[in-house]
């Protein structure tokens, strides 16, 4: 550690009095795992790779650090683009209209911008796997951290079978003769095979899948621009100037204020997984260098892909389109506006191309579910919040039993084949509907409490290697927006759009089940650990901090300060 940084304190003695989990110093662990094992063992391709890692011990989880900057960048910019964006946007359009679709996604985008930057600041300083849970435990309340850890595991555990089901629905667009169970099995086996390769398998799959998703979205937007201007084929709907006619008829807003509130949950689900870049940073070779650049990519995904892409959707697909209104579920790919544009434009094959992209996206999110859930479960086990068996990491760096449990949840996809399957699955889906909002709120609150404790212990902002653009105020804005979205969804759960009467109990909990589940997890955590809200003096901000090259950082900051104002602004978002 450079002399330009003040020596780290030993943390508050009060911390030991409340039963907080321990945090080992980075100085005591390697920056990355160094192996003398063979290439096949390191990549999980022989029986030797399944044995327990010899340098593995309790404390901070040390997984295989094989992710490269290119992996983090693509996970950040394209990793979470999936069924919520490509398919769920159709149901959101029919519920709220094009203006509501745009405004709600923009609000969630502003929220996510602050969430990811707050996460980036924390992840560069304290790069531990399962970071969302450990930050809540460390900076807010160990019982709340317990709740957030299990909430996040459950969120992804439910998403895995959901995405497998949507894979089968995507295939049925081409072939309805073969049973959905066959396609569920095919993609389930594929996800298992990719997970054999551990972190590197997930990283490479996400890298290439993200490139494909982003390229397809760019192609879609170019075609949409041509169609809006009236350059579509003569036998299609967009052969003359289309403009913003759909914002006037059938209208920019549908279902009034209820419709506006209802679309928030779809927008939140569409952004789920954005935070995975912080989780993946713990398995990068040099997070302090790779993560800031990856975080900046989130701005472009929000601006170019979500906002611009959905603007075109609202200009070309009417909110009262029969395909949207008659969709069998929010995962019905025939109701995807991205598929419908190709059909209505008279572009042979384009709808099939977009359906293929949806299929790739859904498989990608399923992979993310196994990755995110297993890493968080491993962190819970390491801190004594889950059975010890889930802390097992093999010689190729895979948290073997944690991955196995998340893959086992994928078997729930077969429930849909039963007569009562869809009803059961709707309840499972309700568990993850709002779960991400609690995770994001915890990240922002952890950042706020970290900053307060950082100042309390005598540190300055100059000692933070990577700072969130909005600072603590950005995190306050994130928390406020999350609370408002939860209130809006509570209102919709009581009084759904499109009906005058109030919702029944089943309908309410179908929309708001995540809240009682989180409260239940918090009660269990409190009963087990008997710890509550941490006072600022109890928060240890020094133990477990990553050592960074302050000479290099200070030289880089001096270089930035010497640049013209326009170059400094560009550096913020590039």
């Amino acid at each position: 550690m450079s002399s330009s940084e003040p020596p780290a304190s030993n943390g508050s003695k009060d911390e030991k009095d409340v039963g907080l989990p321990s945090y080992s110093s980075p100085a005591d662990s390697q920056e990355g795992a160094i192996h003398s094992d063979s290439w096949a063992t390191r990549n999980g391709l022989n029986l030797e790779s399944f044995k327990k890692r010899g340098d593995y011990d309790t404390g901070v989880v040390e997984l295989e650090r094989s992710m490269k900057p290119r992996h983090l960048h693509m996970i950040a910019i394209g990793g979470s683009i999936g069924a919520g964006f490509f398919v769920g946007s159709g149901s959101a359009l029919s519920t709220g209209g094009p203006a509501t679709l745009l405004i709600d996604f923009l609000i969630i985008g502003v929220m996510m911008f602050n969430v990811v930057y707050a996460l980036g600041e924390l992840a560069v300083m304290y790069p531990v796997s399962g970071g969302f849970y450990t930050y809540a435990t460390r900076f807010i309340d160990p019982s709340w951290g317990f709740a957030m850890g299990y909430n996040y595991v459950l969120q992804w555990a439910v998403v895995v079978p959901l995405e497998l089901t949507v894979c089968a629905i995507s295939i049925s667009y081409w072939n309805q003769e073969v049973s959905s169970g066959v396609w569920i099995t095919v993609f389930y086996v594929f996800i298992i095979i990719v997970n054999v390769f551990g972190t590197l398998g997930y990283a490479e799959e996400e890298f290439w899948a993200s490139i494909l998703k982003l390229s397809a979205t760019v192609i879609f937007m170019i075609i949409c621009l041509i169609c809006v201007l009236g350059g579509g084929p003569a036998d299609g709907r967009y052969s003359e100037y289309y403009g913003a006619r759909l914002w006037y008829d059938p209208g920019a807003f549908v279902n009034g204020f209820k419709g506006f509130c209802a679309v928030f949950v779809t927008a939140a689900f569409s952004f789920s997984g954005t935070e995975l870049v912080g989780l993946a940073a713990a398995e990068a070779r040099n997070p302090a260098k790779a993560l800031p650049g990856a975080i900046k990519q989130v701005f472009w995904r929000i601006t170019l892909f979500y906002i611009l892409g959905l603007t075109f959707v609202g200009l070309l697909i009417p909110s009262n389109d029969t395909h949207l209104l008659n969709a069998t579920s929010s995962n019905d790919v025939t109701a995807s506006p991205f598929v419908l544009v190709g059909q209505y434009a008279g572009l042979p094959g384009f709808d099939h191309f977009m359906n293929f992209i949806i299929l790739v996206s859904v498989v990608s999110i399923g992979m993310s579910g196994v990755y995110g859930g297993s890493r968080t479960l491993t962190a819970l086990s390491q801190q004594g919040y889950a059975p010890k068996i889930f802390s097992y990491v093999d010689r190729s760096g895979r948290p073997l039993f944690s991955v196995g449990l998340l893959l086992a949840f994928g078997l729930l996809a077969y429930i849909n084949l039963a007569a009562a399957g869809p009803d059961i699955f709707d309840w499972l889906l309700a568990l993850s509907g709002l779960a991400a909002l609690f995770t994001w709120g915890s990240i922002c609150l952890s950042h706020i409490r970290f900053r307060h404790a950082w100042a309390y212990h005598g540190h300055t902002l100059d000692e933070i290697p990577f700072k969130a653009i909005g600072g603590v105020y950005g995190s306050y804005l994130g928390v406020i927006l999350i609370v408002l979205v939860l209130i809006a969804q509570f209102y919709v759960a009581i009084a759904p759009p499109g009906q005058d009467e109030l919702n029944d109990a089943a309908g309410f909990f179908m929309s708001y089940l995540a809240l009682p589940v989180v409260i239940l997890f918090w009660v269990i955590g409190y009963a087990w650990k008997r710890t509550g809200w941490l006072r600022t003096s109890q928060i240890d901000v020094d133990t477990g901090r990553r050592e960074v090259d302050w000479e290099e950082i200070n030289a880089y900051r001096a270089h930035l300060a010497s640049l013209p104002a326009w170059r400094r602004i560009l550096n913020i978002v590039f």
Side-chain angles (χ1 to χ4, degrees):
M1 187 177 295
S2 172
S3 59
S4 61
E5 181 193 16
S9 68
N10 293 324
S12 170
K13 293 181 181 179
D14 295 332
E15 182 187 8
K16 298 182 179 68
D17 298 332
V18 297
L20 291 175
S22 60
Y23 301 95
S24 63
S25 171
D28 299 329
S29 63
Q30 295 175 317
E31 190 70 15
I34 299 174
H35 300 291
S36 58
D37 294 326
S38 66
W39 178 88
T41 300
R42 293 196 305 271
N43 289 279
L45 298 179
N46 57 23
L47 294 178
E48 185 73 17
S49 68
F50 289 89
K51 294 181 179 179
K52 187 175 182 179
R53 171 175 287 180
D55 62 353
Y56 189 73
D57 202 354
T58 58
V60 175
V61 178
E62 187 71 19
L63 298 172
E64 181 70 18
R65 289 191 172 163
S66 54
M67 282 201 190
K68 301 174 183 176
R70 66 181 178 89
H71 295 138
L72 284 182
H73 280 245
M74 293 312 296
I75 289 172
I77 197 171
S80 68
I81 296 178
F85 175 63
F86 285 121
V87 183
S89 56
S91 63
L93 178 62
S94 65
T95 301
T100 291
L101 181 69
L102 189 60
I103 294 171
D104 283 16
F105 269 80
L106 185 59
I107 291 173
I108 298 293
V110 171
M111 175 205 304
M112 286 309 306
F113 185 76
N114 289 291
V115 168
V116 174
Y117 265 89
L119 175 61
E121 181 175 313
L122 294 173
V124 169
M125 293 195 71
Y126 310 100
V128 290
S129 185
F132 320 131
Y133 141 73
T134 54
Y135 297 146
T137 299
R138 181 169 189 160
F139 300 119
I140 302 174
D141 167 10
S143 301
W144 183 251
F146 175 93
M148 287 300 95
Y150 276 99
N151 175 64
Y152 199 69
V153 172
L154 184 61
Q155 171 191 338
W156 284 119
V158 172
V159 163
V160 174
L162 169 66
E163 302 302 323
L164 286 172
T165 302
V166 180
C167 284
I169 295 173
S170 298
I171 293 293
S172 69
Y173 185 79
W174 296 306
N175 187 334
Q176 296 184 358
E177 302 296 326
V178 180
S179 169
S180 296
V182 174
W183 300 117
I184 290 173
T185 303
V186 168
F187 291 105
Y188 184 55
V189 170
F190 173 76
I191 290 177
I192 292 174
I193 292 173
V194 173
N195 274 280
V196 167
F197 293 89
T199 299
L200 191 59
Y202 166 74
E204 287 295 339
E205 182 274 333
E206 284 297 286
F207 177 78
W208 294 108
S210 294
I211 287 178
L212 188 59
K213 288 187 284 186
L214 297 178
S215 300
T217 306
V218 170
I219 293 171
F220 172 81
M221 289 190 292
I222 293 173
I223 290 175
C224 284
L225 177 61
I226 295 172
C227 290
V228 168
L229 297 177
D235 58 343
R237 182 179 294 185
Y238 312 116
S239 59
E240 59 182 28
Y241 180 74
Y242 218 69
R245 66 178 69 179
L246 298 181
W247 283 56
Y248 299 95
D249 182 20
F253 296 94
V254 177
N255 292 318
F257 184 67
K258 287 184 180 180
F260 176 79
C261 293
V263 172
F264 274 122
V265 68
T266 303
F269 183 77
S270 299
F271 278 95
S272 294
T274 304
E275 72 286 342
L276 279 172
V277 65
L279 199 67
E283 298 184 56
R285 292 172 182 170
N286 189 351
K289 184 176 181 180
L291 185 58
I295 292 294
K296 294 175 183 178
Q297 305 305 316
V298 174
F299 170 82
W300 293 109
R301 186 178 75 192
I302 293 171
T303 304
L304 290 181
F305 299 105
Y306 281 89
I307 305 305
L308 193 55
L310 293 176
T311 297
F312 282 123
V313 165
L315 290 174
L316 294 174
I317 303 297
S319 58
N320 60 357
D321 186 277
T322 54
H323 286 88
L324 304 184
L325 298 176
N326 297 329
T328 56
S329 73
S330 60
N331 298 314
D332 186 354
V333 294
T334 61
S336 166
F338 293 82
V339 172
L340 294 178
V341 166
Q343 292 180 0
Y344 295 158
L347 296 172
F350 185 73
D351 56 330
H352 298 285
F353 169 72
M354 288 309 303
N355 190 60
F356 171 73
I357 298 301
I358 293 171
L359 180 61
V360 171
S361 302
V362 168
V363 173
S364 170
I365 297 297
M367 292 294 308
S368 296
V370 176
Y371 177 83
S374 64
R375 269 54 181 180
T376 304
L377 181 58
T378 301
L380 284 164
S381 176
Q382 277 289 295
Q383 298 294 353
Y385 283 1
K388 190 63 179 175
I389 191 172
F390 294 115
S391 65
Y392 184 99
V393 174
D394 67 18
R395 299 185 68 170
S396 67
R398 296 169 299 202
L400 211 56
F401 290 100
S402 296
V403 170
L405 181 64
L406 267 294
L407 287 172
F409 269 90
L411 296 173
L412 292 175
Y414 292 103
I415 289 178
N416 272 301
L417 303 179
D423 291 333
I424 298 174
F425 210 77
D426 283 343
W427 281 104
L428 291 174
L429 181 59
L431 291 171
S432 65
L434 296 174
L437 289 168
F438 292 99
T439 297
W440 300 335
S442 294
I443 291 171
C444 288
L445 186 56
S446 296
H447 180 242
I448 292 169
R449 303 230 57 214
F450 157 72
R451 283 289 189 97
H452 288 171
W454 188 253
Y456 176 87
H457 289 293
H459 295 289
T460 66
L461 295 182
D462 288 336
E463 298 174 62
I464 299 176
F466 174 72
K467 292 187 283 290
I469 286 182
V472 70
Y473 300 106
S475 291
Y476 274 118
L477 176 61
V479 170
I480 291 171
L481 290 176
I482 288 168
V483 170
L484 291 176
V485 171
L486 288 173
I487 293 173
Q489 185 59 23
F490 183 79
Y491 168 64
V492 171
I494 295 175
Q499 63 183 58
D500 296 328
E501 63 275 9
L502 298 180
N503 214 347
D504 56 16
F508 172 82
F509 284 108
M510 191 75 75
S511 301
Y512 224 74
L513 186 59
L515 178 61
V517 168
V518 167
I519 293 175
L520 175 63
F521 282 142
W522 179 83
V523 170
I524 294 173
Y526 183 80
W528 185 4
K529 297 298 179 180
R530 295 292 179 180
T531 56
W533 181 269
L534 298 178
R535 297 186 297 273
T536 304
S537 61
Q538 295 174 309
I539 298 175
D540 176 14
V541 296
D542 293 303
T543 307
R545 280 169 56 196
R546 175 178 293 280
E547 292 186 359
V548 296
D549 187 343
W550 281 101
E551 290 184 3
E552 181 181 351
I553 290 175
N554 290 333
Y556 179 67
R557 288 175 176 175
H559 169 68
L560 285 181
S562 66
L563 295 175
W566 65 273
R567 286 285 304 276
R568 293 198 299 271
I569 294 173
L570 286 179
N571 181 74
I572 292 175
V573 293
F574 282 103

